[in-house]
Amino acid sequence: MSSRSAKREPTASNVFDALANRRRRQLLFSLFDADTDTDETIDPVELIADVAEIPDSQATSIELHHVHLPQLDTLGFIEWDSETNEVGHGAAWDEIAPVLDLLQSNQDRFAEELL
């Protein structure tokens, strides 16, 4: 997918940076739940539409395209093809997946705004 060469090494700070924004969390949780082995194309806006109320899908799409997808791609958690707008697990997905699993498995212990 992405051919960016400026990927960062995964760190705890990168994981927390990725999870610091609600849209990025929604995208990561949706990607965590998606069957990336059988889904041929995964559109990021459609991915989060199932879990989030999106008042303005065009604004959300622009925000994802210009802010969140490039950041998650640079961190290596996702691979994003900006031309086709497809996302998938990145090279550092295994660094964030256990954190997503832990949060999701214990979602009843967190305030809704935190997830």
Side-chain angles (χ1 to χ4, degrees), residues 28-89:
L28 290 166
F29 279 120
S30 295
L31 191 57
F32 183 76
D33 291 335
D35 186 357
T36 56
D37 292 333
T38 60
D39 292 342
E40 291 182 21
T41 60
I42 299 176
D43 179 281
V45 175
E46 289 177 15
L47 202 65
I48 66 169
D50 292 337
V51 297
E53 291 182 25
I54 302 176
D56 184 352
S57 63
Q58 184 177 0
T60 299
S61 180
I62 291 168
E63 180 184 2
L64 286 172
H65 189 83
H66 291 284
V67 179
H68 304 304
L69 293 168
Q71 182 176 5
L72 292 171
D73 184 58
T74 299
L75 292 170
F77 298 131
I78 67 167
E79 283 194 25
W80 170 56
D81 186 324
S82 61
E83 292 181 20
T84 63
N85 202 37
E86 296 174 7
V87 296
H89 296 166

Side-chain angles (χ1 to χ4, degrees), residues 97-111:
V99 177
L100 296 170
D101 184 41
L102 178 69
L103 290 170
Q104 194 172 57
S105 297
N106 292 285
Q107 64 185 351
D108 59 326
R109 300 177 73 187
F110 295 102

Side-chain angles (χ1 to χ4, degrees), residues 7-22:
K7 304 265 189 215
R8 294 190 234 167
E9 289 296 316
T11 65
S13 292
N14 290 350
V15 170
F16 290 115
D17 285 346
L19 295 172
N21 179 274
R22 186 172 184 89

